[in-house]
Amino acid sequence: MRIDVELSEIAGQAIQDALGTASPAILRPTQDPKHGDFQVNGVLPLAKQMKGNPRELATKVAEKLTGHEAFAAVEVAGPGFINLRVAPAWLEKRLDALTKDAHVGISKVEKSERIVIDFSSPNIAKQMHVGHIRSTILGDAIVRLLRTVGHEVIGDNHLGDWGTQFGLLIAGMRAFGSEEALDSAPIDELERVYKLATAKAKEEPAFAEEARSELAKLQSGDPANVAAWERFVKATRVSLDKIYARLGVTFDAWLGESAYNDMLPGVVQTLKDKGLARESEGAMCVFFNELADSPKDLATFKEPFIVQKRDGAFLYSTTDIATAYYRRDHFKADRSLYVVGTPQSHHFKQLFAIMKMLGVDLRYDHIAFGSILGPDGKALRTREGKAVTLQSVLDEAEERALARIREDGLEIPEEEIAETARKVGIGAVKYGDLRQNRTTDYMFDWDKMISFQGNAGPYLQYAYARTRSLFRKAELEFASQPDGEVKLVAPEERTLGLTLLRFGDIVFTAGETYQPHLLCDHLYNVARDFSTFWEACPILKVEGAERLSRLTLTWLVGRQIATGLGLLGIEVVERM
């Protein structure tokens, strides 16, 4: 049930009937409600094609729209816009249908695709830090959104589980490691050893050569080194699983860089055979400025895309090519998505260009995102200058939520407070990230995140809890829809009803454009309009059809907030 599609089709038909040509209506919500609910902008570009006066053409289209059951008012504005105000009866009919729609107004795509989404992707033997929040939470939300509109989605955690660091770790454990510490606190011990080994390799060429030798032995299948590597991976997985469980994030595949190791020599050979890579100073490189098929934005770059170093080692660039092949051949993917920070944009431009030249014709999208900043405007760090761990962020979120709940004296039974604080705290972190346009940096602000006012996760959870409270007071079951028809009498009812009907449009657009913040904005609008409706329109103090109508609107609000937050990976709470 996408009212933007329905209204666009009505407006498009009016354009065809009035002007004798099929053309998109280009329907948009109005910026100012006093001008109406939607605006048709399609006459302006059409007027240029027809070499006609846009306002005169818009008037002809408006005449066809006037009197249609969907519109209470149709008005030509400016140089040729058409403002539309939707008729209350038309809205009421669709709200009644929404009440009965098990899919909450979300339509399925006409053609389902198989989509692989590469997200989170932490490194083995390291703690997840605050920088992993965006990829993990964004990726999870996009998986949920695309599945909801009907795509077959495979979430892939492309772990950093192969490469140079493992030679350093194997040599480092021999030099500095503690087996006891590796058993009791494996990630802390691995991080300590890696730091010491890295420093030693910089100072002592012999140790650096030892680390390279251990890496070569690992890559050639040496049993002892493979066993050590497997131990590192297993220990890290235990730590990662705990974090993902707290976040409610799951994956369909855990195919790290190691999964593609056997494919890498063949990848380099294929690039050579197809004339895409050549040797340069002992390394194998792709020079885009030498290739006739290079995209214009890459053809001027002289820096190579290196796929094999002079010592024979492969890079993550090589692994990414192998991964794209695997997703085409094994998963039969139509789309391959990469939820990775903006600094990697150039790498992905190069990768996608190479895959096109190789004929691996998937749709590739880099879902880029900005950084999380501290109060100083720089990357968020501890006072000691270390990266903030994701575990510490989640711990503090729950602690702050618990303190805020007690401080505000919310009516929550004592036995439910800890679980509510968990949901509110984790939800606040998720929503605080997802409400940002992903392409921008944002400042991490606890006070704004854990707020029961404004565009914040706890505010939306509170709005949902309010709907549940109302139904408890009315002694009605929330699980079943109210047995009444919606009647939009007060302006606050109409505003809320129109906002609710936009949900399906928003979910579809947020998924297809990989922009969860659009759904956050919509849910905030629902909660805000519900608050205004709550203050202006008595619900339990009125009787009959009016009471049932307002209960139905309240029920729709609760269901939509719960569904929308669920699509963002955020749990709702029953009492606040």
Side-chain angles (χ1 to χ4, degrees), residues 56-73:
E56 290 178 2
L57 296 177
T59 300
K60 292 180 180 180
V61 176
E63 289 172 356
K64 295 292 182 181
L65 291 169
T66 301
H68 193 285
E69 65 167 349
F71 307 116

Side-chain angles (χ1 to χ4, degrees), residues 6 65 67-72 86-91 93-94:
E6 188 172 355
L65 291 169
H68 193 285
E69 65 167 349
F71 307 116
V86 181
W90 192 86
L91 288 176
K93 188 185 299 183
R94 273 137 191 85

Side-chain angles (χ1 to χ4, degrees), residues 89-390:
W90 192 86
L91 288 176
E92 291 165 357
K93 188 185 299 183
R94 273 137 191 85
L95 286 166
D96 286 335
L98 182 61
T99 306
K100 299 173 179 62
D101 183 4
H103 300 293
V104 203
I106 302 170
S107 301
K108 301 296 184 182
V109 291
E110 293 182 4
K111 182 182 179 182
S112 176
E113 294 181 65
R114 181 171 290 180
I115 303 172
V116 179
I117 302 184
D118 177 330
F119 70 103
S120 192
S121 305
N123 290 318
I124 291 298
K126 293 183 180 179
Q127 293 269 14
M128 287 183 76
H129 55 77
V130 72
H132 290 106
I133 287 179
R134 302 213 77 179
S135 178
T136 304
I137 294 173
L138 272 167
D140 181 57
I142 293 167
V143 167
R144 293 168 187 263
L145 286 164
L146 290 174
R147 279 185 181 150
T148 297
V149 299
H151 293 296
E152 182 183 352
V153 183
I154 299 163
D156 184 10
N157 198 352
H158 187 75
L159 297 169
D161 66 350
W162 204 245
T164 304
Q165 70 266 35
F166 292 100
L168 288 165
L169 281 171
I170 292 169
M173 281 298 299
R174 187 183 300 122
F176 312 109
S178 162
E179 289 294 322
E180 183 179 345
L182 189 59
D183 287 333
S184 61
I187 304 303
D188 291 340
E189 176 65 1
L190 290 171
E191 287 192 331
R192 183 186 74 84
V193 167
Y194 181 71
K195 184 176 181 180
L196 291 171
T198 301
K200 187 177 177 69
K202 289 179 179 178
E203 296 170 1
E204 300 180 18
F207 184 80
E209 181 56 38
E210 180 185 346
R212 284 192 290 270
S213 174
E214 297 298 342
L215 176 62
K217 287 164 64 179
L218 171 64
Q219 291 176 334
S220 63
D222 176 76
N225 282 15
V226 169
W229 171 78
E230 288 175 343
R231 188 178 179 187
F232 302 156
V233 172
K234 184 178 179 181
T236 308
R237 273 295 303 267
V238 171
S239 174
L240 293 177
D241 286 343
K242 290 178 181 177
I243 293 291
Y244 291 132
R246 291 183 74 178
L247 290 170
V249 173
T250 60
F251 301 90
D252 304 290
W254 290 71
L255 292 170
E257 294 174 8
S258 63
Y260 309 100
N261 184 58
D262 293 345
M263 297 175 63
L264 303 186
V267 165
V268 174
Q269 188 62 48
T270 298
L271 291 170
K272 289 170 61 178
D273 292 345
K274 290 185 175 291
L276 298 177
R278 66 171 177 84
E279 186 177 328
S280 175
E281 299 179 18
M284 290 303 302
C285 308
V286 176
F287 289 90
F288 285 93
N289 63 323
E290 298 177 359
L291 302 176
D293 294 335
S294 287
K296 289 182 180 179
D297 58 344
L298 294 178
T300 58
F301 280 84
K302 295 182 180 179
E303 294 80 7
F305 186 83
I306 305 173
V307 292
Q308 189 173 24
K309 295 194 290 187
R310 68 182 68 185
D311 62 4
F314 302 104
L315 297 93
Y316 69 84
S317 55
T318 331
T319 303
D320 282 348
I321 295 172
T323 302
Y325 271 112
Y326 185 86
R327 289 174 181 168
R328 183 195 67 176
D329 299 336
H330 178 76
F331 289 127
K332 309 299 182 186
D334 301 301
R335 242 191 274 183
S336 186
L337 312 182
Y338 302 78
V339 187
V340 182
T342 299
Q344 292 295 316
S345 294
H346 184 65
H347 166 75
F348 283 109
K349 280 184 181 179
Q350 293 177 309
L351 173 66
F352 300 163
I354 287 172
M355 299 320 299
K356 184 176 180 181
M357 293 178 196
L358 288 170
V360 185
D361 294 326
L362 312 185
R363 172 180 164 185
Y364 301 96
D365 288 321
H366 174 208
I367 302 174
F369 56 84
S371 301
I372 302 176
L373 307 177
D376 59 358
K378 298 179 181 178
L380 190 63
R381 298 274 179 180
T382 64
R383 290 180 180 177
E384 295 77 26
K386 299 178 181 177
V388 179
T389 66
L390 183 48

Side-chain angles (χ1 to χ4, degrees), residues 1-15 23-30 36-42 61 65 68-74 82-87 90-91 94 494 498 501-502 505:
M1 183 187 295
R2 297 185 57 197
I3 64 167
D4 66 332
V5 172
E6 188 172 355
L7 293 176
S8 291
E9 289 175 352
I10 294 169
Q13 187 61 52
I15 290 174
S23 184
I26 312 180
L27 188 83
R28 301 280 187 271
T30 56
D37 302 314
F38 294 93
Q39 188 176 77
V40 176
N41 299 331
V61 176
L65 291 169
H68 193 285
E69 65 167 349
F71 307 116
V74 179
I82 303 172
N83 291 331
L84 306 173
R85 188 170 299 279
V86 181
W90 192 86
L91 288 176
R94 273 137 191 85
R494 184 186 185 282
L498 185 59
L501 284 174
R502 289 174 174 157
D505 306 337

Side-chain angles (χ1 to χ4, degrees), residues 95 98 496-503 526 553 556-557 560:
L95 286 166
L98 182 61
L496 177 59
L498 185 59
T499 299
L500 288 168
L501 284 174
R502 289 174 174 157
F503 184 62
V526 170
L553 280 174
L556 284 169
V557 166
Q560 195 165 111

